[in-house]
Amino acid sequence: MMKKGLIAAACALFCFAAWAQAPATVGTDYTRPPIHFSDGEKSFVNSDVFFKLLSADRETGLNFVEFALNGSNFMKYKSPFQILEEGNYDISYRGYDNSGNLEVPKTLSVIVDNTPPKTAVETTEPLYTDGSKTYCSANTKWFVSASDALGGAGVAAAYVGTDLNSLDKYGKGKDAEEAYFSLGQEGPAYLYYTAIDNVGNLAPIELVSVTVDMEPPVVRLENSNRLINKDDEYMVFPNEDLVDQEGRVIVSANESVAFAADDELSGLDAIYIKINDGEYTKYVEPVRFNQNDVYTIEVKAIDNVGNVSEPVVYTCYVDKINPESEIEIIDRVENVLPTITAED
């Protein structure tokens, strides 16, 4: 799977043919039953089907029944028979009675299909891979696409789930909500899928390993390397604790304010910021302020499967006001000395 690849195309989901005998669940213990299926024009069987010839003669009695495959020489029928090799077959058969009357041959045309469908699993949302793991969001829906072009009987149902021994039947068409499967729990998961055709051939059960990421990134203010001592408390600039009386983060025009975000699963894709009444733009470098003002900065982040954090609002006050200093004249014990004038 390519990064952010595997976006499902709606047309890739085929319309499943109806097969009343398609089981509600399948697993590793599935055994193909003998099935005769007709699509209205052609008849399909698998090699577990037997053909039994029935004939009777009320006058002199039946001598024997014979049959032939695909125009070959007729042979006497003794017991029900199978056709093990796949392909199209014309089964011709006729009876011969004790008076020497030979029935006009009848023919049954069947297609022997022992080939299971080809399957793939697709998603409604893009997946992300970091090279070793694949991630999806909670909004991702999974569905199985399959085709049975080689065997020809057509696909009856698709199966998907997280329990290898009990995969549920899904899919009646590309627009049907019941065709989709969702993973509802965060963390690693194994997703199994397969499909079955109209004569009971089950495709090999396949596996997708994925990690479900339901949590958006956590935005934070990223500190610089400058140490500040305010009121005998040391802190790194800028700092969420370095605030004025109104709770605004105090920033310096000589410094930049940087933002970061953490995402433990699929990882961070991008950070977006909005300053005052502006539009959200992609954050690419720390923000600098060039005038003494108050700035409202909204910061949000998106991870690699599309989870978006709620905006975090920072109100920043740019400190460009110079300090105000005074001098006092005191004695040894820090009493302020009065000023004595010549008139005194």
Side-chain angles (χ1 to χ4, degrees):
M1 299 179 185
M2 299 178 64
K3 181 178 181 180
K4 293 188 177 178
L6 198 60
I7 301 176
C11 62
L13 184 61
F14 62 93
C15 291
F16 293 101
W19 175 40
Q21 298 183 50
T25 62
V26 298
T28 55
D29 60 348
Y30 173 80
T31 300
R32 182 182 68 178
I35 294 173
H36 173 211
F37 170 78
S38 173
D39 62 4
E41 296 180 359
K42 299 178 181 179
S43 290
F44 299 86
V45 297
N46 59 43
S47 288
D48 295 317
V49 166
F50 284 79
F51 298 91
K52 182 179 180 180
L53 300 182
L54 303 173
S55 184
D57 187 86
R58 290 184 296 178
E59 287 74 23
T60 60
L62 182 70
N63 189 344
F64 60 84
V65 179
E66 57 184 7
F67 70 100
L69 299 179
N70 291 341
S72 62
N73 294 329
F74 277 89
M75 62 190 82
K76 284 189 178 181
Y77 171 77
K78 295 181 179 180
S79 60
F81 60 91
Q82 297 169 275
I83 301 178
L84 300 179
E85 187 174 345
E86 284 189 309
N88 298 323
Y89 290 88
D90 290 330
I91 306 174
S92 299
Y93 55 96
R94 63 190 180 185
Y96 185 77
D97 66 13
N98 290 308
S99 297
N101 297 312
L102 187 62
E103 182 183 8
V104 176
K106 296 184 176 76
T107 299
L108 171 67
S109 296
V110 296
I111 298 172
V112 179
D113 178 3
N114 294 322
T115 301
K118 291 184 177 180
T119 61
V121 68
E122 303 190 51
T123 61
T124 58
E125 302 290 335
L127 302 180
Y128 170 77
T129 179
D130 61 6
S132 61
K133 292 182 179 180
T134 298
Y135 299 87
C136 72
S137 72
N139 296 324
T140 302
K141 294 181 180 180
W142 302 77
F143 64 94
V144 179
S145 63
S147 64
D148 195 51
L150 184 60
V155 178
Y159 298 83
V160 63
T162 55
D163 183 353
L164 177 60
N165 295 312
S166 182
L167 304 181
D168 292 326
K169 181 168 65 174
Y170 281 82
K172 291 293 184 181
K174 65 182 181 181
D175 296 322
E177 185 64 26
E178 63 266 23
Y180 300 104
F181 178 82
S182 297
L183 293 165
Q185 186 173 355
E186 187 172 68
Y190 288 133
L191 188 69
Y192 306 96
Y193 64 95
T194 186
I196 194 170
D197 70 12
N198 282 304
V199 289
N201 296 307
L202 184 71
I205 297 176
E206 304 284 351
L207 164 67
V208 172
S209 176
V210 67
T211 298
V212 184
D213 182 358
M214 296 182 173
E215 293 296 327
V218 178
V219 172
R220 58 183 168 84
L221 192 65
E222 191 170 56
N223 294 328
S224 70
N225 295 321
R226 187 159 74 90
L227 191 64
I228 290 179
N229 181 5
K230 180 186 178 183
D231 301 330
D232 293 328
E233 182 180 351
Y234 286 95
M235 59 191 71
V236 177
F237 174 87
N239 192 299
E240 295 179 34
D241 295 325
L242 188 61
V243 298
D244 64 8
Q245 293 180 345
E246 297 182 30
R248 302 174 299 191
V249 177
I250 301 174
V251 297
S252 168
N254 299 320
E255 300 282 351
S256 59
V257 178
F259 303 97
D262 302 301
D263 190 88
E264 295 182 358
L265 290 179
S266 63
L268 180 68
D269 178 41
I271 297 174
Y272 294 87
I273 65 172
K274 181 174 76 171
I275 301 177
N276 293 338
D277 295 326
E279 299 292 330
Y280 271 106
T281 59
K282 191 172 183 178
Y283 172 76
V284 294
E285 61 182 359
V287 178
R288 289 184 177 273
F289 306 97
N290 54 19
Q291 60 184 2
N292 184 20
D293 203 349
V294 175
Y295 293 85
T296 299
I297 306 175
E298 293 185 20
V299 186
K300 63 182 180 180
I302 183 171
D303 66 16
N304 282 304
V305 294
N307 295 311
V308 182
S309 67
E310 292 293 328
V312 178
V313 179
Y314 295 96
T315 302
C316 299
Y317 173 74
V318 181
D319 180 10
K320 293 187 68 175
I321 300 175
N322 294 328
E324 295 183 3
S325 302
E326 297 179 353
I327 188 171
E328 291 182 335
I329 299 175
I330 61 176
D331 61 16
R332 187 182 299 275
V333 294
E334 297 192 10
N335 293 315
V336 177
L337 295 177
T339 301
I340 300 174
T341 63
E343 297 178 355
D344 294 337

